[in-house]
Amino acid sequence: MTVLEEMRIRSLGVIDDAVVELSPGFTAVTGETGAGKTMVVTSLALLLGGRADPALVRIGAKAAVVEGRLTMTAGSSAAVRAEEAGAELEDGTLLISRTVSAEGRSRAHLGGRSVPVGVLTELADDLVAVHGQTDQQGLLRPARQRQALDRYAGDAVAGPHATYAAAYRRLRAVATELEELTTRARERAQEADLLRFGLNEIAGVEPRAGEDAELAAEAERLGHAEALASAAAIAHAALAGNPEDPEGVDATTLVAGAGRALEAVRSHDAALAGLADRMGEISILLADVAGELAGYADNLDADPLRLAAVEERRAALTGLTRKYGEDITGVLAWAEESAARLTELEGDDDRIGELTAERDGLRTELSSLAQALTDARTEAAARFAEAVTAELASLAMPHARVSFDIRQTESPDEVSGVEVGGRPVVYGPHGVDEVELLLAPHPGAQPRPIAKGASGGELSRVMLAVEVVFAGSDPVPTYLFDEVDAGVGGKAAVEVGRRLAKLAKSAQVVVVTHLPQVAAFADRQLLVEKTNDGSVTRSGVTVLEGEDRVRELSRMLAGQEDSETARAHAEELLATARADA
């Protein structure tokens, strides 16, 4: 079993530095109004990933720090999640800390490892159920009441709900795509025309990949044909000689003469032999270059008509690159992508037909799934209402009756709704049901929404009854109640205390209360006291036992610790609580 054993609170609100020691069973936190009892709730909320409000930091302090120590069973869902986050558990003990700076920065640590605050929030679902006055107000909202019913129903509703939710999401996606296709028909037609024009223009030119670079090189060569031919002729003459000048000296003849001179004496010196070989290589290279120069000159095309044709082709390609890509490769890539897009646009009519058929099929499917979800909720609502009503009888409301009103709102037209029970009704991600918790506080009273039909005290007991019912169907290890007994007194307060004690037999229960009838049933009572300077220090949170507990209960009863009547009543309350235990 997971138990929150201790919290240390530093520089939070009125608390300077205090340690709150909790028991595995029922712990009551009491104290004068404004003494800082609610800081216990605030501290636990921070440990569980609650919002970090810099206004909570004690004036003059740099940061508020809350540390908690929990023991938990190895292999529990909370322990597994903590270990997945990198936390270390020592002998089943998990340390959690949260720091909030005066500037608003927040840090969280879990088992000695820094973790995102969201990890603490995930753990909270498996560790603690926190309930206070704001939670009572939340229970007044129909959406929260539907969530409560679904939570109680468990798999009986969770299964149909998951199937319905998947179909709902698909229907919304299909409807969105269908609306986009039908409302943007004109834009798509214009886009298709532009793509066809571009593809036709490219097809008319029939460009080849790399053709623009090839033509640029050919144009450069054709444009300088005379200069190239003259340079090649001069170079050839210098290497191989000019037939029209038999007396001229050329490089081939000179190198050949040098080679012969070295060959004649190469046998006398190895160094000259090497140079003779290199001179032979030069002769061969000169002959090759001379031959290529002769061939280049013979093949050089100086045709002006060819140059004009090349420039005309280049102009056509430039027209394409100006519109569709940086070069012809880019133009061809644009054409490929545009052809695919055009095929997609031209297939929109077929797509609209497919989506329309799928939408109609999903609406039919959703109708049956919504009915199944309604049926599951209706069955669970009867059991939930019966269980809560039985709990209210234990909380001094023996004649109260709780029920659920599960209804649907008729849709103004078939398009915006789904058909359930032979009529179109409004639907949403959670089905077609509007769920409202009704209370008839006494016989003959008409069931009314608890927001209108329950007093503050009755609402507190309904809230407690709902949580007790949850404890039997979907338990968590720790329950924290922050003055949910507000508006309750007398016999009803005794019953609330008795019921909390019963809940504490299967879970850890922490209650911040001002009622002595509730505190008397606690296994441990903590007193929060301020010092003279208005702060709560380490000695300001004490465990009350024996005479000290009687004195505190007396103060809570009559405002006077030494009143004999109040003391007698306090002792009577403690005796009653012990007898019930």
Side-chain angles (χ1 to χ4, degrees):
M1 177 179 175
T2 299
V3 176
L4 177 62
E5 293 185 333
E6 180 182 278
M7 286 195 302
R8 183 179 182 185
I9 310 167
R10 287 177 287 172
S11 302
L12 184 71
V14 298
I15 297 180
D16 179 21
D17 188 348
V19 175
V20 180
E21 297 179 357
L22 303 172
S23 73
F26 180 5
T27 300
V29 182
T30 64
E32 295 278 4
T33 301
K37 301 188 299 298
T38 56
M39 286 297 104
V40 175
V41 181
T42 303
S43 300
L44 185 55
L46 285 173
L47 283 181
L48 299 176
R51 187 176 69 88
D53 185 354
L56 295 172
V57 180
R58 184 171 172 77
I59 296 175
K62 294 182 179 180
V65 181
V66 182
E67 300 170 314
R69 186 176 77 240
L70 298 92
T71 58
M72 55 178 54
T73 305
S76 65
S77 58
V80 171
R81 180 65 187 95
E83 290 173 340
E84 288 176 349
E88 296 182 2
L89 276 72
E90 297 184 5
D91 299 326
T93 299
L94 177 66
L95 300 179
I96 305 177
S97 71
R98 182 82 181 277
T99 303
V100 181
S101 71
E103 292 78 26
R105 293 188 300 275
S106 171
R107 297 195 308 275
H109 288 81
L110 185 68
R113 295 291 184 90
S114 178
V115 296
V117 174
V119 174
L120 302 187
T121 305
E122 292 176 18
L123 285 177
D125 293 336
D126 294 324
L127 293 177
V128 180
V130 181
H131 294 289
Q133 296 296 311
T134 55
D135 297 278
Q136 289 189 15
Q137 297 303 313
L139 189 62
L140 300 181
R141 299 198 301 270
R144 283 288 299 276
Q145 293 169 16
R146 177 192 52 73
Q147 291 171 6
L149 175 59
D150 289 355
R151 175 184 164 194
Y152 172 80
D155 292 340
V157 165
H161 186 282
T163 305
Y164 171 91
Y168 174 83
R169 288 192 297 271
R170 179 55 188 163
L171 176 59
R172 299 313 303 161
V174 168
T176 299
E177 185 179 355
L178 188 57
E179 181 179 3
E180 181 181 356
L181 289 176
T182 53
T183 57
R184 293 185 54 208
R186 179 178 299 175
E187 290 88 340
R188 295 197 318 277
Q190 292 173 347
E191 182 184 358
D193 285 344
L194 289 175
L195 292 176
R196 287 192 197 93
F197 178 83
L199 290 170
N200 289 335
E201 187 175 10
I202 294 172
V205 176
E206 296 182 338
R208 290 184 294 101
E211 183 182 2
D212 48 346
E214 295 173 5
L215 291 175
E218 185 178 358
E220 183 73 14
R221 189 170 62 253
L222 290 172
H224 299 82
E226 292 185 3
L228 294 172
S230 174
I234 292 173
H236 181 268
L239 293 177
N242 187 348
E244 297 179 358
D245 184 13
E247 301 298 328
V249 179
D250 58 80
T252 301
T253 301
L254 292 175
V255 170
R260 287 193 297 272
L262 293 176
E263 282 292 334
V265 295
R266 64 177 298 158
S267 60
H268 304 302
D269 189 344
L272 278 181
L275 292 174
D277 291 339
R278 291 169 63 186
M279 192 63 70
E281 294 172 0
I282 293 173
S283 295
I284 294 171
L285 182 60
L286 285 175
D288 288 344
V289 173
E292 290 186 17
L293 285 172
Y296 177 84
D298 292 339
N299 294 327
L300 188 62
D301 187 1
D303 184 0
L305 294 179
R306 174 57 186 166
L307 178 59
V310 167
E311 292 296 350
E312 182 179 356
R313 179 64 177 173
R314 291 186 68 200
L317 296 179
T318 300
L320 297 181
T321 56
R322 192 164 47 240
K323 297 179 182 180
Y324 308 112
E326 293 184 0
D327 52 25
I328 292 303
T329 301
V331 170
L332 294 173
W334 181 91
E336 183 177 357
E337 294 172 3
S338 297
R341 174 59 177 163
L342 183 59
T343 300
E344 178 184 336
L345 291 172
E346 289 176 338
D348 277 350
D349 289 341
D350 294 337
R351 181 61 177 158
I352 288 174
E354 293 172 1
L355 289 173
T356 300
E358 184 178 3
R359 180 199 62 189
D360 294 343
L362 284 168
R363 288 170 60 83
T364 301
E365 179 185 0
L366 212 61
S367 295
S368 61
L369 292 175
Q371 184 64 64
L373 186 54
T374 298
D375 293 343
R377 281 186 177 134
T378 301
E379 189 277 331
R383 291 187 289 108
F384 192 15
E386 182 179 355
V388 173
T389 297
E391 286 298 327
L392 289 177
S394 301
L395 294 171
M397 294 179 67
H399 304 298
R401 294 290 178 271
V402 167
S403 60
F404 278 94
D405 178 22
I406 300 178
R407 60 185 182 275
Q408 297 81 36
T409 299
E410 191 163 347
S411 173
D413 54 71
E414 294 184 0
V415 176
S416 58
V418 296
E419 186 174 312
V420 176
R423 62 193 179 101
V425 297
V426 175
Y427 67 102
H430 303 291
V432 298
D433 303 318
E434 295 177 25
V435 177
E436 194 159 31
L437 187 61
L438 307 180
L439 174 68
H442 52 81
Q446 282 293 109
R448 301 181 64 196
I450 59 172
K452 300 176 182 177
S455 65
E458 290 170 340
L459 182 59
S460 296
R461 281 176 279 176
V462 171
M463 182 71 183
L464 179 56
V466 167
E467 199 55 61
V468 169
V469 170
F470 280 149
S473 62
D474 184 23
V476 292
T478 300
Y479 294 88
L480 177 61
F481 296 94
D482 180 18
E483 297 191 7
V484 293
D485 49 17
V488 178
K491 181 181 179 181
V494 173
E495 296 302 330
V496 169
R498 182 175 285 119
R499 203 64 195 83
L500 288 169
K502 185 177 180 181
L503 177 61
K505 293 184 183 300
S506 59
Q508 182 182 30
V509 176
V510 181
V511 179
V512 177
T513 182
H514 65 282
L515 290 180
Q517 296 94 328
V518 172
F521 282 87
D523 300 309
R524 170 176 291 185
Q525 184 172 347
L526 300 180
L527 175 64
V528 181
E529 290 182 298
K530 288 183 180 179
T531 59
N532 292 332
D533 66 357
S535 66
V536 177
T537 62
R538 181 179 289 270
S539 61
V541 181
T542 55
V543 179
L544 298 179
E545 295 178 349
E547 181 64 23
D548 291 335
R549 189 171 185 186
V550 173
R551 283 174 57 83
E552 171 62 7
L553 290 175
S554 299
R555 181 198 64 78
M556 297 171 72
L557 282 164
Q560 300 175 0
E561 295 91 334
D562 299 322
S563 168
E564 289 300 325
T565 303
R567 287 176 58 83
H569 192 183
E571 290 172 349
E572 182 182 0
L573 280 175
L574 287 171
T576 300
R578 293 191 187 101
D580 282 358

